[in-house]
Amino acid sequence: MDNPCPTHIDLAAAFEESGVRDVLRELDDTLIGLEPVKSRIRETAALLLVDKARREMGLATETPTLHMSFTGNPGTGKTTVALKMADLLHRLGYVRKGHLVTVTRDDLVGQYIGHTAPKTKEVLKKAMGGVLFIDEAYYLYRPENERDYGQEAIEILLQVMENNRDDLVVILAGYGDRMDRFFASNPGFRSRIAHHIEFPDYTDPELLHISERMLDAQNYRLDDAARAAMAEYIAARRRQPHFANARSVRNALDRARLRQANRLFNEAKGPIDVGRLSLITEPDIRASRVFRGGLDVDRMNGDRLDAQGANRQAAAE
Amino acid sequence: MKLRQGQFSFLPDLSDDDIRVQAQYAIDNGWAVSVEYTDDPHPRNTYWEMWGHPMFDNPDAAAVVFEVNECRKEHGGKYIRVIAFDASPGWESIRMSFIVNRPATEPGFRLVRQEAEGRSVRYTIESYAVREPEGARY
């Protein structure tokens, strides 16, 4: 008995049914900023939904290429979006399990001849049925060393990306300019990747919003002076080296919590109430060395510091 | 003579899709799936050669099918089976085992009679295949 294809489909109903709406709403709620990324994901979701409908009607037979590349500076939410993407693809039925396996060069490339292939295959097997996220993918290719084993990993990767398209989706991530160079020297990758998504840097107000969101999740809050200090901190931190957007903010908050705990410990004379335990004040943030010119200034003075001072310094960033 | 060992051996040969579904069942139960091959089909030959490590942390059975096909490339003329090991406390044994690849011709087994004390006879079986040395059997 042959199964007749449906002749029409209610896209709105399919949209509801697949649970894509929930993922997109979650994306909107949990991620601040990143408008271009969100709109690209909405477009991709629409495309996949229509494609799925077409396949059900027998109009299309091939699995579309779903491999993607995420380019952007560190801390712009690439991994977070990849997690959401895995969920989205799972709900649309393009991957069977929807788990995310995050790897870097070290997980794929071996240390001696014959080590790379089994290692890469092991990772690929683990990612089957889900999404493989390769962070800083350009490290796989090292043109300066022609004996580099990265090339071997790339070949296996390309082969599996082509032959096991139904089994896994590969997302390559990294800085924009270096990814461009990587693709230029590996044309095989460029042609196998259908979706290129750029992640813009966060603006200062967005980062402040993010910092409040992060604190909120841990039941902390900033008072008004601390919020102003945080805004200044973000502006100052951006101008210093190794700025990593939301990740820098998270690290700053971790250290602020450390200082807050220290302060409470030293000040406390009696019982402390919930409000004080969860309040981060201006001095907690102002103590950061970012306000004193950052890491470089410390390095210059570093020679004069004794061991104890160095420890205090580490705690103070 | 078609070898009848393990599960599904009285059914037609499993397709890749059948293998995937069965392996997925094992994975969903938390069992470690692995691929093994041999050219000695004796039923008491319990320990076959391992093809790679047991797959402890692969959530999807596509990896099993992938390994079965890799093994077929190398040992396509031998028996290949998929087994699922249950490591839960108090069990520690094989829960599933099924053949996924067999040689083109299976010569079967002969009955061996051994004269023992008195007029008693001991019976055993021997695969015709194992008369050839290892590596030259199928």
Side-chain angles (χ1 to χ4, degrees), chain B residues 55-76:
Chain B
M55 290 170 244
F56 290 108
D57 44 7
N58 295 337
D60 191 79
V64 177
V65 177
F66 177 79
E67 281 302 337
V68 166
N69 283 320
E70 289 291 298
C71 187
R72 277 177 181 151
K73 278 183 210 159
E74 193 100 350
H75 302 287

Side-chain angles (χ1 to χ4, degrees), chain B residues 36-38 44-50 81:
Chain B
E36 299 184 334
Y37 64 93
T38 192
R44 301 295 283 268
N45 174 22
T46 11
Y47 302 111
W48 293 19
E49 314 286 336
M50 290 169 75
R81 72 178 175 192

Side-chain angles (χ1 to χ4, degrees), chain A residues 96-97 99 125-126 128, chain B residues 24 57-60 62 67:
Chain A
R96 282 186 299 270
K97 292 276 157 191
H99 60 289
K125 274 179 355 198
K126 218 173 278 180
M128 276 181 183
Chain B
Q24 190 64 56
D57 44 7
N58 295 337
D60 191 79
E67 281 302 337

